[in-house]
Amino acid sequence: METTALKAKAAQIRMDLLTMIHGAKTGHTGGSLSNTDILTALYYKVMKLDPSHPKWEERDRFIASKGHSVESLWCILADRGFFPKEELKTFSQFGTRLIGHPNNKVPGIEMNTGALGHGLAISVGMALSAKLDNRGFRVFCLMGDGEQAEGSVWEAAMAGAHYKLDNLIGIIDRNRLQISGSTEEVMGLDPLEEKWAAFGWNVVSIDGNDMDALVRTFESIPTAAGKPTLVMANTVKGKGVSFAENVAHWHHHVPNDEQLALALAELAAVRESYEQEERGI
């Protein structure tokens, strides 16, 4: 899929996740909107995967350490054919597989995640096993920036560098907001790039809502032989919905009927513009 088509796809995924959250009356809206471009680049362009064989041994692995922002992932897995799209209507309902965090009863999910600070350690283990078994798959781990206050993240970072896991890619959704406000007010993280570099990772800082930059960066991995890569994806919380962008309140806010209609109209216009560009109109 070309970059323009990926941009249109990301707009559609944002529409789908908002509709799903609105129907369920629950969900982590802001972070799912901010990470949509990252996941779209990975699942439609970069990662090796086969929805008809979700346990294919050579597949690339994806771990959503910031598991609370699962809504974009559910919509993408459904769109890629890992499970029927109709099932999105059951999100967070009684008896559903599509709960508020990744659930490995669903095809395409490697691990139950969402206890923040655990995803990178799991990813280190997967990447190390690939090296030991001479397997060619890569492991992508998406973390939140608020999650960087967890000590276990830094223990895993040390291990990833120690074992020279250049098949391991950490991604930080750096939207600078968490549930209780600014990350720098809750627990200051900067200079975050320098900290990861000091732990032995090759750090690439990009606009995490720029599809061209995402694809270019992910396709250049490994960015340094013998080093894991950390992609600092600087994003906008609530990206794509004008009244939700950079508003901490939208971390766990559900759009009402009017807000949903406004958001869908905005995103439909964006999607249409990219579809016209792709058609050369």
Side-chain angles (χ1 to χ4, degrees), residues 57-63 110 126 137-140:
E57 290 187 356
E58 292 304 316
R59 71 190 182 282
D60 287 331
R61 273 66 166 172
F62 175 78
I63 299 295
E110 303 290 344
M126 289 180 169
F137 67 80
R138 298 168 297 173
V139 183
F140 295 84

Side-chain angles (χ1 to χ4, degrees), residues 20 24 26 71 74 87-93 96 98-100:
M20 185 177 71
T26 187
E71 292 83 0
W74 287 146
E87 194 171 347
L88 294 175
K89 295 178 182 178
T90 73
F91 173 62
S92 284
Q93 305 303 303
T96 185
L98 305 185
I99 57 177

Side-chain angles (χ1 to χ4, degrees), residues 131 160-167 200 202 222-229:
K131 289 287 188 181
H162 175 78
Y163 290 108
K164 306 183 188 311
L165 299 179
D166 52 11
N167 59 340
N202 194 53
T223 55
K227 280 188 173 186
T229 297

